[in-house]
Amino acid sequence: MTKIFIFFLFLLTLLASSAQKQKQVYIVHFGGSDNGEKALHEIQETHHSYLLSVKDNEEEARASHLYSYKHSINGFSAVLTPDEAARLSELEEVVSVYPSHPEKYSLQTTRSWEFVGLDEVAKQNWNHFNMGQDLLSKARYGQDVIVGLVDNGVWPESKSFSDEGMGPVPKSWKGICQTGVAFNSSLCNKKIIGARYYLKGFEQLYGPLNATEDDRSPRDMDGHGTHTASTVAGRRVPNASAFGGFAEGTASGGAPLARLAIYKACWATPKASKAAGNTCFEADMLAAIDDAIRDGVHVLSISIGTNQPFAFNRDGIAIGALNAVKHNILVACSAGNSGPAPSSLSNLAPWLITVGAGSLDRDFVGPVVLGTGMEIIGKTVTPYNLKKMHPLVYAADVVVPGVHQNETNQCLPGSLTPEKVKGKIVLCMRGSGFKLSKGMEVKRAGGVGLILGNSPANGNEYSYDAHYLPATAVLYDDAIKIHEYIKSTNNPTAIIKQARTVLHTQPAPFMANFTSRGPNALDPYILKPDITAPGLNILAAWSEASSPSKLAFDKRIVKYTIFSGTSMSCPHVAAAAALLKAIHPDWSSAAIRSALMTTAWMKNNKALPITNADGSIATPFSFGSGHFRPTKAADPGLVYDASYEDYLLYLCSHGFSFTNPVFRCPNKPPSALNLNYPSIAIPNLNGTVIVKRTVTNVGGSKSVYFFSAKPPMGVSVKANPSILFFDHIGQKKSFTITVRLGSETTRQGLTKQYVFGWYRWTDGLHLVRSPMAVSFA
């Protein structure tokens, strides 16, 4: 009998343990967007009462609660079992209850501002508009505009965040400077006016933060957050450069007098290399956005994306940003780094401005010369070089026994034979493992240099790395040439020459290979990304707690470094938005997005269409409306405006309901196609589609705009009316665009494929262009 009792006791313990393991963080979303004038403690008490309805006692209910949200959403996050979540979801007032997946989100300058015509000392550049000084002056360099960054903190000691000469903190600011490990309130100043951190979601899964991996404070121990913050609003710092002196010049953010508010919601992934990226928890990000709205930011820059698209009502960034837009906060987000695969985009909601990544007209060239005298162009930001020819070997020929067949050429740790590598240059291929680790393996085995070859999957995009020994990267075709040379002779040799910074390269911009592409996986009627900005090899400030590579063995400390990603392009657009906010404080976030989109450029500095990294012609699924031009966006002529209610109606068209007593979905909500967006996407066209749009005059008080179009192949595009007359600023005019299927001959072979074009309005001074994407049924 005793044994049976013990067995059942064990069984109950096992079942309880299993139920405990099923617990995870859920987001509970009520209708509406906020709680009016209720104080936070009143809201928390309400949320505790909901938790008490599914928990055994009040202590358990309070312990399970993580955050109450007032501004980003009307809801809370808590630790629940699937059964408890299901019971809450059955309540009439609850819109949704969904789990916050731990790996859902992750983190995804200074030639760039001169390249886009904004640098105050810039000469006439590729787009032939030297108006940067005028725009910066009109915007007062972004003074008193507050940009919030949801990221992984900041290194406040950087010169980029000096407040020397800045005026007092704007009176509208309501935020705080939260103290923590190695971060006290004195580190905030008139540049970094606020800083907070959010850990509850992270620690619910991983337990207490490991102090050796990150700091429990707003301090950036990684580099990413410092890089993005300085790209938005870093002060002008002369003689800045990356390790080895590359990209030397004056570092500056786009809005150098804008104020920064830091919201650290991303953390080092436990037991993983920093180079593998940080992790960002939805519950923590929603809390950060909630505080940013309350604190009074004007622009939010969020260089965070998902590994797959999630429905708008289950995407914390989308939900939080919708309510930020309600408070007229523009939210810029990165498009993602999962390109060039189609439909790989993050941040697809139409109230966001989604930013792709392009190149600059700057390069870092490190040539390889073979024993035959053939010179092959390599790219690198490694300052070391070789003074003479050295023997050259292929990694697969010098590996130790037992290396996996598919990895023999990749120079993974411990894979090379020192007796065969000592004193030689090694050709290694990309694939598995970190790129700098490959160089460390060559060095460990006694090698003197590294040639890093692309695999076919890397396309024609170079890898730029600060290696520990002379090194350069080459394209796949060039790696094959080097390999063939090695096989052709008994004594192959090579030399890696000194690398140098090269300006005014052509063509530029081109689309980075990694930038995520459309079409929109959630709603093909919304063309994404919206716009492109520099995101390839961007110089900006860096955390001195990290290294250029972010690898544990790399002990080098830098104040500025070169980094790539749509994480870098996003803050460029956020900075431009800050300048436009300063010039046009009454413009909505949709109007600012429209101004940036309709004035973007689709040609490079050779006056040819923007291309992909492999030289093929890029499309709006790569660059959106084009490469941004802040100087033109300040005076766009017309804008496509949209309100918070417009976005709610848009969500109604997707079947999302609301329990907000102020708003109810109509019985027949308007088509998503007719959301007043500055671009048009029509999937599966089969006949005729009529699209409605409205423009607002923000140009001359009396003006006349004429319509023209370059239709996508196989369709006709007409506007009614085709002439718009305006007699005052702020006047709105509506029109329809009729898109009609052409003859079968003109669209032959194009079934299921997308074709692209554009339409535009012009008064002779302003050119208001909108891209179009159409596919056939």
Side-chain angles (χ1 to χ4, degrees), residues 696-769:
T696 304
N697 179 29
V698 294
S701 57
K702 292 184 181 298
S703 53
V704 180
Y705 282 83
F706 296 89
F707 177 86
S708 63
K710 182 182 179 182
M713 184 182 297
V715 302
S716 65
V717 175
K718 293 184 179 180
N720 184 31
S722 59
I723 303 176
L724 301 178
F725 298 89
F726 296 92
D727 56 27
H728 64 271
I729 293 175
Q731 186 176 11
K732 296 180 181 292
K733 292 284 185 178
S734 296
F735 60 92
T736 60
I737 298 283
T738 300
V739 182
R740 182 174 286 112
L741 203 60
S743 68
E744 188 172 338
T745 303
T746 61
R747 64 180 192 276
Q748 190 171 4
L750 296 176
T751 304
K752 301 297 183 182
Q753 295 184 29
Y754 271 94
V755 287
F756 305 93
W758 48 258
Y759 75 89
R760 69 185 183 188
W761 294 97
T762 182
D763 63 351
L765 176 63
H766 305 94
L767 195 153
V768 188
R769 181 192 285 112

Side-chain angles (χ1 to χ4, degrees), residues 387-723:
K387 303 298 183 184
K388 63 178 183 177
M389 287 280 183
H390 286 268
L392 173 64
V393 294
Y394 182 48
D397 299 330
V398 292
V399 292
V400 297
V403 175
H404 192 280
Q405 185 176 358
N406 295 330
E407 297 177 342
T408 56
N409 62 359
Q410 294 181 32
C411 298
L412 299 181
S415 67
L416 299 180
T417 305
E419 292 79 11
K420 297 179 180 180
V421 170
K422 186 176 181 181
K424 297 173 182 176
I425 301 170
V426 183
L427 170 63
C428 305
M429 301 300 289
R430 292 177 64 180
S432 301
F434 295 113
K435 292 173 288 182
L436 260 74
S437 293
K438 297 175 186 290
M440 285 299 292
E441 172 60 11
V442 172
K443 187 173 183 179
R444 180 202 66 80
V448 297
L450 164 71
I451 301 172
L452 184 61
N454 273 7
S455 71
N458 302 125
N460 289 334
E461 190 164 273
Y462 286 96
S463 169
Y464 295 80
D465 303 286
H467 288 277
Y468 267 83
L469 76 174
T472 195
V474 299
L475 299 181
Y476 177 71
D477 288 346
D478 288 329
I480 294 301
K481 291 177 184 176
I482 296 171
H483 183 218
E484 289 174 347
Y485 163 67
I486 293 172
K487 292 191 299 182
S488 71
T489 177
N490 293 327
N491 297 297
T493 59
I495 185 172
I496 299 172
K497 300 177 72 174
Q498 181 73 52
R500 66 189 190 280
T501 302
V502 179
L503 300 180
H504 307 295
T505 57
Q506 293 183 323
F510 59 81
M511 298 307 301
N513 200 53
F514 58 74
T515 191
S516 294
R517 265 65 170 186
N520 188 325
L522 292 183
D523 183 0
Y525 289 100
I526 299 295
L527 202 166
K528 289 281 184 176
D530 293 309
I531 203 164
T532 287
L536 189 63
N537 300 320
I538 304 302
L539 180 77
W542 199 245
S543 168
E544 292 183 43
S546 191
S547 66
S549 68
K550 300 203 291 184
L551 293 171
F553 60 73
D554 189 351
K555 304 303 180 184
R556 295 170 294 183
I557 301 299
V558 296
K559 298 180 184 296
Y560 292 83
T561 200
I562 293 166
F563 216 51
S564 296
T566 52
S567 282
M568 284 60 252
S569 57
C570 172
H572 278 83
V573 170
L579 296 177
L580 296 186
K581 274 275 187 184
I583 297 172
H584 304 289
D586 57 331
W587 279 13
S588 69
S589 59
I592 291 176
R593 179 186 57 212
S594 174
L596 289 164
M597 289 175 64
T598 61
T599 57
W601 200 231
M602 295 189 294
K603 292 189 176 181
N604 58 32
N605 57 2
K606 296 180 72 174
L608 295 172
I610 292 174
T611 63
N612 294 309
D614 64 3
S616 62
I617 301 298
T619 74
F621 285 162
S622 298
F623 57 65
S625 295
H627 198 271
F628 85 142
R629 293 190 296 177
T631 55
K632 298 296 287 182
D635 182 21
L638 304 174
V639 294
Y640 293 82
D641 210 348
S643 67
Y644 173 70
E645 288 72 23
D646 290 328
Y647 297 129
L648 295 185
L649 287 170
Y650 167 83
L651 288 172
C652 291
S653 72
H654 280 266
F656 298 126
S657 61
F658 301 86
T659 58
N660 185 343
V662 180
F663 181 84
R664 285 282 191 274
C665 285
N667 292 330
K668 291 185 177 181
S671 167
L673 181 62
N674 290 324
L675 178 67
N676 202 36
Y677 214 68
S679 58
I680 291 177
I682 305 174
N684 302 316
L685 178 65
N686 185 15
T688 300
V689 170
I690 298 176
V691 182
K692 298 178 182 178
R693 290 291 187 266
T694 299
V695 287
T696 304
N697 179 29
V698 294
S701 57
K702 292 184 181 298
S703 53
V704 180
Y705 282 83
F706 296 89
F707 177 86
S708 63
K710 182 182 179 182
M713 184 182 297
V715 302
S716 65
V717 175
K718 293 184 179 180
N720 184 31
S722 59
I723 303 176

Side-chain angles (χ1 to χ4, degrees), residues 169-428:
V169 173
K171 293 181 179 179
S172 63
W173 176 244
K174 300 181 181 68
I176 64 169
C177 189
Q178 186 177 5
T179 60
V181 175
F183 200 102
N184 58 50
S185 59
S186 67
L187 292 174
C188 291
N189 55 19
K190 290 178 282 188
K191 162 58 75 173
I192 300 174
I193 62 175
R196 299 177 185 259
Y197 67 94
Y198 307 84
L199 257 174
K200 292 178 181 178
F202 175 93
E203 291 191 328
Q204 176 55 40
L205 179 69
Y206 290 122
L209 181 71
N210 187 333
T212 66
E213 295 178 331
D214 212 332
D215 276 358
R216 183 182 290 272
S217 76
R219 181 170 290 281
D220 173 15
M221 302 297 286
D222 172 272
H224 188 281
T226 300
H227 202 279
T228 55
S230 61
T231 300
V232 171
R235 300 298 298 274
R236 292 179 60 82
V237 179
N239 302 316
S241 66
F243 177 76
F246 292 99
E248 185 176 8
T250 298
S252 176
L257 292 186
R259 316 303 175 118
L260 287 168
I262 305 301
Y263 301 89
K264 182 178 179 179
C266 300
W267 302 87
T269 304
K271 300 178 183 178
S273 168
K274 288 183 181 180
N278 286 23
T279 184
C280 315
F281 280 75
E282 192 164 19
D284 297 333
M285 290 193 303
L286 269 172
I289 296 172
D290 206 68
D291 281 339
I293 295 171
R294 179 180 60 188
D295 291 346
V297 305
H298 302 110
V299 175
L300 266 174
S301 181
I302 305 179
S303 290
I304 300 170
T306 55
N307 53 11
Q308 65 182 71
F310 289 86
F312 299 136
N313 65 338
R314 289 175 174 265
D315 183 341
I317 292 177
I319 295 169
L322 177 60
N323 290 291
V325 167
K326 181 183 179 182
H327 292 79
N328 204 25
I329 299 168
L330 183 138
V331 184
C333 291
S334 51
N337 301 332
S338 299
S343 294
S344 53
L345 291 162
S346 292
N347 299 312
L348 297 169
W351 49 88
L352 303 171
I353 183 161
T354 307
V355 189
S359 71
L360 298 175
D361 63 341
R362 178 181 64 195
D363 212 347
F364 308 99
V365 179
V368 175
V369 180
L370 303 180
T372 60
M374 176 189 290
E375 182 171 292
I376 292 176
I377 296 299
K379 306 293 177 73
T380 187
V381 287
T382 303
Y384 317 116
N385 64 299
L386 297 173
K387 303 298 183 184
K388 63 178 183 177
M389 287 280 183
H390 286 268
L392 173 64
V393 294
Y394 182 48
D397 299 330
V398 292
V399 292
V400 297
V403 175
H404 192 280
Q405 185 176 358
N406 295 330
E407 297 177 342
T408 56
N409 62 359
Q410 294 181 32
C411 298
L412 299 181
S415 67
L416 299 180
T417 305
E419 292 79 11
K420 297 179 180 180
V421 170
K422 186 176 181 181
K424 297 173 182 176
I425 301 170
V426 183
L427 170 63
C428 305

